[in-house]
Amino acid sequence: MAFGLHSYPAVYRSKFDNGVWTGGFEEKPHKTPEEEAKLSEAELEKLENSRNFYDDMPLVGYTTQYGMSCFEGLKALPQKDGGIALFRPDQNAKRFYKSMKGLYMPPFPEEEFVSACVEIVKRNAALGFKPVYKKEWEQDSFMTADSIYIRPFSYSEGGVGVALSKKPWVVIITTPVSAYFSDGTSGAVITGRIRAAPKGTGWIKAASNYTISALAKHEAAEAGYMECIYLDAVHRKYVEEGSSCNVFFYLKSGELVTPELGDTILPGITRASIIELARDKNVTVSERKISIDEVFSEAKECFVSGTAAGATPIESLTYEGKTVVFNDRKTGGLTADIRDTIKGIQYGTLPDKKGWMVKAV
Ligand SMILES: *Cc1c(COP(=O)(O)O)cnc(C)c1O
């Protein structure tokens, strides 16, 4: 379900101090990828762990004590015609800037974000740490394809009182990833928990939001579901999103609906991209409130969207003991079309008409 951390050696780090960001790249301990592949599990774990440390970063601080941190997740994908390209890093840079401002941190410059993300992929590739495009991925719509997950995040200075992070670091690490959701059921369940409330931090990719997500997702998995879906905190009636993904419903009327943004929903870049792609296909797309009752009576397809999830079909949704099944538990036509379009653009099998891909290698 989640994916493991196998940090690549090249990392980036910048620190805000005296009103300026100062940063650069570092190369953590490593052998060649071929040599590392021959290590025992314990040896590899020791080596990879050594890449996950900075001995000059405080253990006790606002991030570790109170979750005062925000992060991003974006991907670099091996291309059909060779090379590696990032998907819309400028959008992640924008959101990270807003997240940091939302947490009253000094925001990280967008251009530096993009160039650091591109450069870290380049540096790791030069050391041999990179996935290689495989033709067989085309057979299963890239469901099992490899990519590089890029994780930028903020990390606070030391401190113990509940306070803001005024002199944070921004660190960027990368790790290879494959399929996010495991095989088996793709059923979802409405969780009784509340992810985000009005006036809270739900619209920010804030570390503190994900404790509840992890609890709800664990409970869903224990009950046999792949994903949990949240209802709004006030009315307990409108569908909001998944644990770390947005949600779409394709209605019998031909309308594709995704909940409208607000302060309780994370503005996904995959979500925004799907809205654009669906409109290009002449699908009527609405960003509006959708109640759980409307989903039960009107939806014929459902999928969740996110950097890790792509567009992943949801076969059923369970709420208060009742279950609605979408499209006989098979991937629906529009869902498959959207999934294939976005994956095709990302892996370079379809033309990138919108200039979304940024080549790193
Ligand atoms: C990251 C995230 C998403 C998806 O955003 P993308 O930019 O598409 O990856 C959706 N919901 C939540 C709560 C998230 O954390």
Side-chain angles (χ1 to χ4, degrees):
M1 203 84 87
F3 43 78
L5 173 65
H6 302 282
S7 282
Y8 281 166
V11 293
Y12 171 89
R13 187 167 66 141
S14 186
K15 167 94 167 124
F16 190 80
D17 211 350
N18 293 321
V20 290
W21 288 98
T22 314
F25 294 89
E26 270 175 70
E27 205 173 298
K28 295 288 191 180
H30 68 94
K31 299 172 183 291
T32 67
E34 294 73 30
E35 286 164 350
E36 289 193 8
K38 288 189 198 120
L39 295 176
S40 72
E41 217 170 290
E43 287 169 327
L44 183 61
E45 193 180 321
K46 198 168 162 213
L47 179 59
E48 287 184 339
N49 260 338
S50 73
R51 293 183 199 144
N52 196 14
F53 276 96
Y54 289 92
D55 54 18
D56 58 347
M57 286 172 86
L59 180 61
V60 181
Y62 314 116
T63 297
T64 59
Q65 305 305 299
Y66 312 114
M68 183 60 86
S69 165
C70 56
F71 65 94
E72 273 303 324
L74 64 158
K75 276 184 173 181
L77 308 106
Q79 301 294 293
K80 187 182 172 77
D81 63 357
I84 303 174
L86 284 73
F87 182 69
R88 308 193 77 179
D90 57 310
Q91 296 299 306
N92 295 89
K94 252 197 194 101
R95 189 170 63 191
F96 194 58
Y97 190 93
K98 283 191 192 147
S99 289
M100 291 191 85
K101 280 187 78 160
L103 297 175
Y104 297 143
M105 276 189 244
F108 191 65
E110 292 174 36
E111 278 159 39
E112 177 76 2
F113 180 105
V114 173
S115 64
C117 287
V118 170
E119 181 68 20
I120 199 172
V121 171
K122 253 187 211 159
R123 285 178 184 242
N124 281 304
L127 298 172
F129 289 84
K130 57 169 190 201
V132 175
Y133 189 91
K134 293 199 185 79
K135 190 125 185 56
E136 63 251 36
W137 293 341
E138 293 167 24
Q139 254 73 68
D140 68 356
S141 304
F142 295 95
M143 294 296 277
T144 57
D146 300 329
S147 59
I148 302 168
Y149 187 77
I150 306 171
R151 164 56 59 85
F153 62 98
S154 76
Y155 192 90
S156 89
E157 68 274 34
V160 75
V162 174
L164 302 176
S165 175
K166 288 293 187 194
K167 296 181 173 185
W169 282 270
V170 165
V171 183
I172 307 178
I173 65 102
T174 55
T175 181
V177 289
S178 194
Y180 179 60
F181 289 114
S182 46
D183 288 349
T185 175
S186 67
V189 62
I190 298 284
T191 172
R193 290 190 184 265
I194 291 169
R195 191 192 85 88
K199 310 290 177 199
T201 54
W203 61 280
I204 300 174
K205 232 168 158 70
S208 56
N209 292 343
Y210 296 86
T211 303
I212 292 168
S213 275
L215 302 179
K217 193 147 180 173
H218 167 80
E219 290 159 358
E222 291 279 285
Y225 300 98
M226 179 189 76
E227 181 55 299
C228 62
I229 302 286
Y230 293 90
L231 296 183
D232 76 281
V234 177
H235 309 281
R236 307 296 296 141
K237 176 177 170 188
Y238 300 105
V239 177
E240 298 219 306
E241 59 176 318
S243 56
S244 55
C245 41
N246 297 111
V247 66
F248 284 81
F249 299 98
Y250 189 36
L251 307 188
K252 292 167 192 163
S253 65
E255 180 188 11
L256 181 64
V257 180
T258 189
E260 66 194 357
L261 297 178
D263 53 7
T264 58
I265 294 185
L266 199 286
I269 292 154
T270 319
R271 174 189 180 278
S273 307
I274 287 172
I275 290 172
E276 232 183 290
L277 293 172
R279 287 192 176 137
D280 288 353
K281 293 175 191 293
N282 290 318
V283 176
T284 306
V285 187
S286 306
E287 297 178 68
R288 65 168 173 85
K289 284 195 183 0
I290 181 163
S291 71
I292 185 67
D293 289 345
E294 185 177 0
V295 167
F296 264 66
S297 66
E298 302 304 323
K300 60 177 176 179
E301 295 181 27
C302 172
F303 60 92
V304 289
S305 77
T307 294
T312 300
I314 296 293
E315 63 178 43
S316 66
L317 182 60
T318 300
Y319 175 54
E320 291 184 335
K322 295 195 199 73
T323 297
V324 57
V325 169
F326 305 110
N327 204 54
D328 288 333
R329 299 188 188 277
K330 293 190 289 283
T331 303
L334 182 71
T335 303
D337 188 10
I338 283 173
R339 177 193 63 198
D340 294 351
T341 304
I342 200 148
K343 291 281 180 198
I345 294 169
Q346 290 179 330
Y347 284 94
T349 59
L350 290 177
D352 172 26
K353 289 182 198 150
K354 295 172 185 290
W356 282 347
M357 304 307 294
V358 175
K359 215 153 167 63
V361 180

